[in-house]
Amino acid sequence: MVIDAVTGLPIGTVMEVLSQVIEAIVELVISSKNVIIEKKSFAQLSEYLQKIVPLLSELHRKDLCDSDSLRNFVEILNHQTKLAKQLIQDCSDRNRFYLFVNSRSIVKCIGDITKEISHAMSCLSLTSLDISLSTRDDINQLVNKMKNAEFKAAIAGEEILEKIEFGIHQRNVDRTFANNLLVSIAKAVGVSTDRAALKREFEQFKNEIENVRLRKNEAEAIQMDQIIALLERADIALSLEDREKKHLIKRKSLGMQPLEPLTTFICPITKEAMVDPVETPLGYTFERSSIDKWLADNPTCPLTLTPLDSSMLRPNRTLRQSIEEWQERNTMIILASLKSRLSSGGQEEVLVCLKQLLDLCQQREIHREWLILEDYIPTLIELLHVKDRSIRNQTLQILCLLAKYNDDAKDIIARVENAIKYIVQFLGRQIEERKLAVALLLELSKCESVRDHIGNVQGCILLLVTMLTSDDHQAATDAKNVLDNLAFSDDNVVLMANNNYFKYLLQRLSAGPDHVQMAMAKTLWEMELTNHNKSSLVEDGVLDLLLVLVSHDDVEMKIVAVGALLNLSSLKKNGQEVIKKHAVRPLLDILHHQTSSQRLRELVSAVIVNLALSSIPEDSAAVPVPLLESEEDILELYSLINFTGPGVKQNIIRIFHVMCLSPIAVIIKSKLRQYSAMPVLLRLCEVDDSTLRANAVKLLCCLTEDDDEAKILEHITQSSVEALLMIIRNSENEEEISSTLGTIANLPESAQISKWLLESHNLTSSLTSLFNSENIRSKRNQFTESVVGAICRLTVRTSVELQKKVAEVGIIENLLPLLETGSSLTRRNVGISLTQLSLSSPELSRQISRRPVLWCFSALPESCPVHRGICTVVSSFCLLEAGAVKPLVQVLRGEPNLEACEAALDALLTLIDGERLQNGCKVLEEANAIAEMIKLISHPSPCTSLQEKILSSLERIFRILEYKQKYGQLTQRYLVDLTQRGNSSLRSLAATILARLNVLHDQSSFF
């Protein structure tokens, strides 16, 4: 019939149709990209049609339309193209749900169109047409492909369609099944699962059914009604308020009392209501489990005794649906009645009610939905306040079941005043309550609208982080998952970091946008990190992340990244890691870059201070980590002292001070002297900036410690000396004062410098406040060592007037207690100072003049037993007047440090110098000093210079017969020992004393 119509068409009409078909195919190919469903099948059809276009174009161009088969082909192609175009339009414009449930018929239509076109092309006699060979080959291949083409609905779509068929067949699927089905369809067709979107799309789907009825397609209308009836069981598209209204209307219609089961609901065997009823061929119904058990022993019907086996049983779905409706009705009534009993009942009654609710919640999802719709949640939250732990635990279990997979329940819990706060408090309770609370929080945290509420509860994140180390694996896992969910918020991530959980901070630092990376780096900068935290962060790779940000183009990003490095590098091993990652060079480049902000430079220089501190090995065996790799680096860093602000300047000085304490101190000091650092530092000692000045004087102390005296004299001036004394008088910084004292101690013993010290108006006031014994006792040993070290310089013999100035302030009296309480270094320096002062005593002791005869009855002034004149502590620095002999002897007796012993000995030996031998020996003997000297000869760790001084002094002492006789025998055995193991000098001295003791001949040259 179609052929007759086509063959009757004039050739001109066929040509017009052919032209229209070509245009239609082009449009169809373009529009097929906009279909909502079965995109792959439409793309395949479009591809086939596109490949037909070359044939049609050639036919049109050559005007080859005189064949009946050709005209028939054009007509069929025209008709099928129109069908395809209409199908594409429907699949682009109509409701997505409607299209999805019809996806099988859509795919079938595409297949039918393909087969019709391929059949029409196969009827063409291409060999009789003036068609090019290549086109003929292409068309033949295309025909074969189209004949063999198979169009199928997408696999995921097929699975959903099978579920729809299952649900229609079962007739009694619950709301969960329907909800999941509706969500699956929505996801499959690209519809949002938001409630409003679902509701809108579903309503449009139902409208499509009305259109089907108008088209009088009864079969399709019946199928669509079944699908809608199934999906209408879903309530996911309804608002909570709508569901509540629907539920309450239904519940009120049921009455107030549960109904007894109908007799048809009762199993004849168990006499209880059936759950899974099955029917025998004779129409009797039993509970499946009970009849199976009966038939295992008796292969006959319990009621008729006729033969029966399990294969003859059939599910009674109608009865099962009735039983389930009866059970649902009673459950709904029971749930409504339990709520009031929870609020007003006693403890035992509440526990019974909770047990019932818990059992119901565990049975079916619809029961949990009813609890939500009955507004149970506020009542349950109130029960979290009761004292009974069992009530609290069961309540938490019920709340957890309600919140699971139900965002409405989560929202309701969050809206109840202080509910989240109460739940969080359980994280600090006993283990069982903690487990239930964290499980509930995990469910709540899955809802985006609730997460903020959880993270905002004070202490929540701290408690969750603490639970990560719980012995209970499940509780620890749940706590981790809650933290994972809360990590959506940058604020929560910062809170986690503040509570020592850095996982998400590091993630954002690595891959977050610039503003987030900046916030995370700033957090690391401002946090009070423990050493363990600092170490863990570096082990987790934070340094690499921060060093990337240090090279960022944005200045603010550089600042926060360097600030974080500053915090982390304060741990020594972290600083070493920064150095090993070759970060010093980029930091130096930032310091040198003229466009770098002052704030950035200060932070960078502070980081390098930390790196310098970390480069000092903790023990001598450790391999040092070099901070500056070349002399150019040293010069580059030093050059910045003159061209940067005070903050950077003081940090650079600190860096060099630290390096002057490192294994490369000799190199650093040499370079600084080469760069004329001393005059720069002396000038900085006069500035008002106390921090800058303190750092400058520390480095100055290091440089003057072992420098050539001539070079120091080249740069030191009277104003420099005055500035140093001003620091001692005015500064409140103990380290600054200590370093200043160390610098003074290092000053050359030149008369000029002593004169400047003496002439200073600040000397007396500085000494008065500084050397007060109470002040010294309150300071650390290091400070006291610096004080006494400066005294050594102030008491040099080159300036007796300076010595007097020091004595007038009461220094000698304040030094003596330090012989007992000070460190070994302090005792050594006290001994040196007393030695220097005592050497001036003979000159300063005032001799007693002869008096006239008339004065014979007046009392004579008491003379010093050693100096044979009038001595005082202030005027002649007399050790006897100061009471220094016994403390010095005590040093010889109990001091393990031989340098301190030697210094104390030097002071004592000043009493027997020259003509004072006789009188001095008497003083030493009374103080038991001679015996202590003899003991030191055989010290377990001998010091040659100390032994030589003792032997030289004993040789003189034993010139006096009294002491020779008293101590000779005691000394002899030590001397003999020295003749055997001592060096040549000691053997010679020992031999001399032995000769004086008449043990050896005085002419002996044996030693």
Side-chain angles (χ1 to χ4, degrees):
M1 195 172 154
V2 172
I3 295 174
D4 291 340
V6 172
T7 55
L9 284 175
I11 294 177
T13 303
V14 174
M15 292 301 294
E16 290 176 5
V17 171
L18 185 60
S19 178
Q20 292 171 5
V21 169
I22 293 172
E23 291 178 4
I25 289 175
V26 173
E27 293 176 4
L28 186 148
V29 170
I30 296 172
S31 61
S32 67
K33 297 177 181 177
N34 300 323
V35 294
I36 296 170
I37 197 165
E38 298 301 336
K39 291 178 179 288
K40 186 176 179 181
S41 295
F42 277 109
Q44 191 174 348
L45 175 61
S46 298
E47 182 183 353
Y48 291 153
L49 292 175
Q50 268 187 304
K51 290 181 178 180
I52 298 174
V53 171
L55 170 64
L56 301 179
S57 299
E58 193 168 343
L59 290 172
H60 187 270
R61 187 173 61 253
K62 295 182 178 181
D63 198 12
L64 300 174
C65 293
D66 57 350
S67 165
D68 290 343
S69 64
L70 185 57
R71 276 182 266 175
N72 184 55
F73 164 68
V74 172
E75 184 64 22
I76 293 173
L77 183 60
N78 180 40
H79 178 66
Q80 295 300 325
T81 302
K82 288 179 179 179
L83 290 178
K85 186 176 180 180
Q86 183 61 49
L87 186 61
I88 288 173
Q89 185 175 349
D90 287 345
C91 290
S92 301
D93 300 337
R94 300 186 74 170
N95 176 262
R96 293 170 184 252
F97 284 8
Y98 175 79
L99 293 172
F100 179 81
V101 297
N102 282 286
S103 57
R104 288 173 176 168
S105 61
I106 292 171
V107 170
K108 184 177 182 304
C109 287
I110 295 173
D112 291 343
I113 292 170
T114 303
K115 283 181 171 53
E116 286 294 327
I117 295 173
S118 65
H119 178 70
M121 280 197 299
S122 65
C123 293
L124 282 174
S125 177
L126 296 177
T127 54
S128 64
L129 298 173
D130 187 16
I131 301 298
S132 64
L133 182 62
S134 61
T135 301
R136 287 205 303 265
D137 291 340
D138 291 342
I139 293 301
N140 287 331
Q141 291 178 14
L142 180 60
V143 168
N144 290 331
K145 280 186 179 180
M146 293 176 73
K147 283 182 177 181
N148 297 322
E150 291 185 4
F151 294 91
K152 293 182 180 179
I155 295 175
E158 274 295 327
E159 291 175 354
I160 297 172
L161 291 173
E162 288 173 3
K163 288 181 181 178
I164 291 174
E165 291 172 350
F166 172 80
I168 293 172
H169 180 69
Q170 287 293 108
R171 294 188 298 176
N172 61 343
V173 295
D174 60 16
R175 60 183 286 278
T176 303
F177 180 90
N179 281 335
N180 292 337
L181 191 57
L182 191 60
V183 169
S184 298
I185 295 171
K187 289 180 178 179
V189 295
V191 172
S192 169
T193 54
D194 176 75
R195 179 173 291 139
L198 283 175
K199 184 176 182 180
R200 182 172 58 253
E201 199 71 26
F202 189 54
E203 291 299 323
Q204 291 175 0
F205 177 43
K206 289 192 286 187
N207 292 336
E208 286 282 0
I209 307 306
E210 296 301 320
N211 295 331
V212 171
R213 289 194 179 94
L214 291 175
R215 292 197 302 270
K216 297 182 180 181
N217 189 337
E218 292 301 324
E220 184 182 356
I222 292 170
Q223 182 192 22
M224 291 299 111
D225 283 339
Q226 291 175 328
I227 294 172
I228 286 176
L230 171 64
L231 295 179
E232 277 186 330
R233 297 181 188 182
D235 54 16
I236 192 170
L238 297 177
S239 67
L240 180 63
E241 291 76 13
D242 291 340
R243 295 193 336 260
E244 284 178 349
K245 290 177 185 177
K246 184 178 177 182
H247 170 78
L248 291 175
I249 291 171
K250 181 178 179 180
R251 197 250 294 163
K252 288 177 181 178
S253 69
L254 300 177
M256 302 296 292
Q257 296 297 326
L259 294 177
E260 293 297 323
L262 300 176
T263 55
T264 55
F265 294 174
I266 303 301
C267 174
I269 298 175
T270 63
K271 308 302 180 184
E272 295 178 355
M274 291 179 282
V275 175
D276 185 10
V278 290
E279 192 176 17
T280 68
L282 295 178
Y284 296 101
T285 302
F286 301 90
E287 171 62 37
R288 182 185 292 277
S289 60
S290 62
I291 190 64
D292 283 344
K293 186 176 181 181
W294 173 276
L295 294 174
D297 299 323
N298 305 287
T300 60
C301 175
L303 299 179
T304 65
L305 301 179
T306 57
L308 183 68
D309 61 59
S310 297
S311 64
M312 302 166 68
L313 301 175
R314 294 291 180 269
N316 190 337
R317 291 191 176 91
T318 303
L319 180 59
R320 177 172 179 169
Q321 185 173 355
S322 298
I323 293 171
E324 287 178 350
E325 289 174 355
W326 163 77
Q327 288 174 331
E328 285 186 2
R329 176 191 183 282
N330 283 354
T331 302
M332 196 175 287
I333 293 171
I334 291 169
L335 279 175
S337 66
L338 289 176
K339 185 178 177 184
S340 59
R341 293 168 60 190
L342 281 180
S343 303
S344 58
Q347 180 176 319
E348 292 300 324
E349 185 178 7
V350 171
L351 280 171
V352 171
C353 292
L354 288 173
K355 180 67 170 62
Q356 283 184 271
L357 290 175
L358 185 58
D359 289 342
L360 288 171
C361 287
Q362 290 171 338
Q363 287 171 13
R364 293 185 64 190
E365 192 274 337
I366 189 63
H367 296 164
R368 300 194 287 274
E369 171 74 4
W370 290 343
L371 255 73
I372 296 168
L373 299 178
E374 290 286 352
D375 200 27
Y376 261 88
I377 289 176
T379 303
L380 292 170
I381 295 296
E382 287 299 317
L383 291 177
L384 295 178
H385 299 216
V386 302
K387 293 182 179 179
D388 189 277
R389 186 179 303 149
S390 298
I391 292 177
R392 297 198 303 264
N393 284 352
Q394 288 200 44
T395 302
L396 286 171
Q397 290 181 62
I398 294 170
L399 287 171
C400 192
L401 287 171
L402 295 181
K404 199 166 189 177
Y405 310 120
N406 194 312
D407 285 351
D408 287 324
K410 297 179 179 72
D411 284 329
I412 295 170
I413 293 172
R415 288 200 302 269
V416 176
E417 187 176 2
N418 294 324
I420 303 295
K421 179 181 176 183
Y422 298 146
I423 297 167
V424 167
Q425 288 174 350
F426 282 97
L427 297 178
R429 302 275 180 87
Q430 292 188 358
I431 182 62
E432 190 60 32
E433 289 178 296
R434 286 206 303 273
K435 288 172 62 176
L436 292 170
V438 76
L440 176 53
L441 286 175
L442 176 57
E443 295 304 327
L444 294 173
S445 67
K446 294 174 182 177
C447 180
E448 291 183 7
S449 61
V450 181
R451 290 173 186 166
D452 276 332
H453 294 280
I454 299 173
N456 290 336
V457 175
Q458 185 176 6
C460 175
I461 287 177
L462 170 61
L463 290 169
L464 289 169
V465 171
T466 303
M467 286 188 69
L468 293 175
T469 56
S470 171
D471 293 334
D472 189 285
H473 176 72
Q474 187 59 52
T477 301
D478 287 348
K480 176 188 175 299
N481 291 334
V482 175
L483 289 170
D484 290 348
N485 292 337
L486 296 182
F488 78 98
S489 161
D490 292 339
D491 291 338
N492 288 344
V493 169
V494 171
L495 280 174
M496 292 177 200
N498 284 326
N499 289 290
N500 302 334
Y501 188 61
F502 299 99
K503 173 183 175 181
Y504 289 101
L505 182 142
L506 292 175
Q507 284 184 6
R508 278 168 166 71
L509 198 63
S510 171
D514 284 357
H515 73 279
V516 172
Q517 288 181 318
M518 190 178 297
M520 297 303 111
K522 187 177 182 183
T523 298
L524 283 177
W525 178 12
E526 296 174 348
M527 281 179 64
E528 292 290 337
L529 295 169
T530 65
N531 286 343
H532 175 73
N533 293 150
K534 295 173 184 177
S535 178
S536 298
L537 282 164
V538 169
E539 288 172 4
D540 291 338
V542 72
L543 289 183
D544 292 325
L545 303 177
L546 290 173
L547 291 174
V548 170
L549 298 183
V550 167
S551 61
H552 200 280
D553 294 334
D554 185 78
V555 174
E556 288 302 315
M557 183 72 84
K558 288 179 182 287
I559 288 175
V560 294
V562 173
L565 280 178
L566 177 62
N567 196 0
L568 293 167
S569 62
S570 60
L571 182 64
K572 192 163 190 171
K573 69 174 186 177
N574 286 358
Q576 293 174 351
E577 284 300 312
V578 175
I579 296 172
K580 290 176 182 177
K581 290 183 179 294
H582 307 289
V584 177
R585 183 68 261 168
L587 294 174
L588 288 175
D589 290 341
I590 292 174
L591 277 180
H592 252 283
H593 206 285
Q594 294 181 353
T595 60
S596 296
S597 68
Q598 187 63 25
R599 178 64 175 143
L600 178 58
R601 284 183 167 187
E602 287 180 3
L603 289 170
V604 168
S605 58
V607 171
I608 300 177
V609 171
N610 286 347
L611 302 187
L613 288 167
S614 64
S615 68
I616 300 176
E618 294 181 351
D619 57 76
S620 57
V623 179
V625 181
L627 177 67
L628 302 179
E629 297 180 353
S630 66
E631 293 183 8
E632 290 75 15
D633 289 343
I634 300 173
L635 177 59
E636 183 179 336
L637 184 61
Y638 174 77
S639 65
L640 293 170
I641 290 180
N642 296 318
F643 302 105
T644 52
V648 180
K649 196 188 300 285
Q650 71 188 26
N651 283 332
I652 292 173
I653 292 172
R654 283 187 66 197
I655 294 166
F656 282 113
H657 174 249
V658 171
M659 289 195 291
C660 284
L661 305 175
S662 71
I664 60 169
V666 174
I667 298 172
I668 297 299
K669 289 180 182 180
S670 172
K671 291 300 173 184
L672 290 176
R673 290 163 185 153
Q674 180 182 331
Y675 305 149
S676 300
M678 190 175 295
V680 174
L681 296 173
L682 287 170
R683 286 196 300 273
L684 293 176
C685 289
E686 302 179 29
V687 300
D688 294 330
D689 187 326
S690 59
T691 307
L692 176 58
R693 186 184 64 229
N695 285 297
V697 79
K698 287 178 189 177
L699 182 55
L700 181 64
C701 180
C702 288
L703 288 184
T704 57
E705 188 174 14
D706 50 8
D707 198 8
D708 180 43
E709 291 191 358
K711 291 182 179 178
I712 297 177
L713 288 171
E714 184 181 339
H715 300 297
I716 200 80
T717 64
Q718 186 170 8
S719 65
S720 303
V721 172
E722 195 67 33
L724 293 173
L725 293 174
M726 284 282 287
I727 293 172
I728 295 172
R729 189 187 74 174
N730 299 328
S731 177
E732 296 180 358
N733 185 325
E734 180 184 321
E735 289 188 0
E736 181 182 17
I737 297 172
S738 180
S739 297
T740 306
L741 292 168
T743 303
I744 291 175
N746 297 335
L747 293 178
E749 297 181 7
S750 78
Q752 184 61 63
I753 292 178
S754 296
K755 180 182 177 184
W756 289 338
L757 289 167
L758 183 63
E759 292 175 352
S760 173
H761 299 295
N762 294 306
L763 181 62
T764 302
S765 58
S766 298
L767 293 175
T768 301
S769 61
L770 181 63
F771 297 135
N772 180 282
S773 60
E774 291 300 324
N775 285 342
I776 290 179
R777 290 192 192 102
S778 67
K779 304 292 183 180
R780 297 176 289 106
N781 271 344
Q782 188 175 354
F783 181 83
T784 305
E785 289 168 0
S786 299
V787 170
V788 179
I791 293 176
C792 289
R793 174 59 188 82
L794 296 174
T795 56
V796 294
R797 290 202 66 201
T798 55
S799 177
V800 175
E801 293 302 317
L802 185 57
Q803 289 180 328
K804 288 181 179 180
K805 193 86 168 181
V806 171
E808 288 171 2
V809 184
I811 296 303
I812 298 175
E813 294 90 331
N814 289 322
L815 287 177
L816 297 181
L818 298 178
L819 288 171
E820 179 181 356
T821 63
S823 65
S824 295
L825 179 58
T826 297
R827 287 196 281 267
R828 171 183 173 274
N829 286 334
V830 169
I832 292 172
S833 298
L834 292 176
T835 300
Q836 293 176 156
L837 291 167
S838 183
L839 289 173
S840 299
S841 294
E843 303 170 9
L844 300 175
S845 178
R846 186 163 58 86
Q847 299 301 313
I848 301 174
S849 59
R850 295 183 178 275
R851 296 186 177 184
V853 177
L854 295 177
W855 286 10
C856 61
F857 297 103
S858 62
L860 292 172
E862 187 175 347
S863 64
C864 173
V866 174
H867 302 116
R868 312 305 295 174
I870 298 173
C871 287
T872 66
V873 177
V874 174
S875 64
S876 63
F877 328 137
C878 181
L879 297 183
L880 274 68
E881 290 293 323
V885 176
K886 287 186 178 180
L888 288 168
V889 173
Q890 185 62 37
V891 173
L892 297 183
R893 182 179 298 118
E895 175 57 56
N897 185 278
L898 295 180
E899 290 184 355
C901 286
E902 187 172 354
L905 178 65
D906 287 341
L908 290 171
L909 294 182
T910 60
L911 300 178
I912 61 172
D913 271 358
E915 59 186 22
R916 295 184 295 282
L917 179 64
Q918 183 74 39
N919 297 333
C921 284
K922 183 177 181 182
V923 171
L924 294 182
E925 199 273 335
E926 289 174 354
N928 201 33
I930 298 175
E932 295 301 329
M933 290 164 58
I934 294 170
K935 291 179 184 178
L936 283 173
I937 297 175
S938 61
H939 195 280
S941 303
C943 171
T944 302
S945 62
L946 176 62
Q947 289 176 320
E948 288 179 353
K949 288 179 181 179
I950 293 173
L951 293 179
S952 296
S953 60
L954 287 177
E955 191 277 329
R956 294 185 65 240
I957 292 170
F958 288 166
R959 293 175 187 176
I960 303 172
L961 181 61
E962 174 186 355
Y963 303 115
K964 173 181 174 180
Q965 292 174 345
K966 184 172 183 179
Y967 295 103
Q969 190 65 34
L970 174 64
T971 308
Q972 182 176 326
R973 60 190 179 95
Y974 298 130
L975 295 174
V976 171
D977 185 59
L978 279 179
T979 60
Q980 297 171 359
R981 62 180 178 83
N983 60 28
S984 58
S985 176
L986 290 176
R987 291 202 302 270
S988 176
L989 286 170
T992 302
I993 299 173
L994 286 173
R996 191 170 293 282
L997 294 175
N998 301 320
V999 175
L1000 289 175
H1001 191 277
D1002 57 2
Q1003 300 298 321
S1004 173
S1005 60
F1006 184 78
F1007 299 107

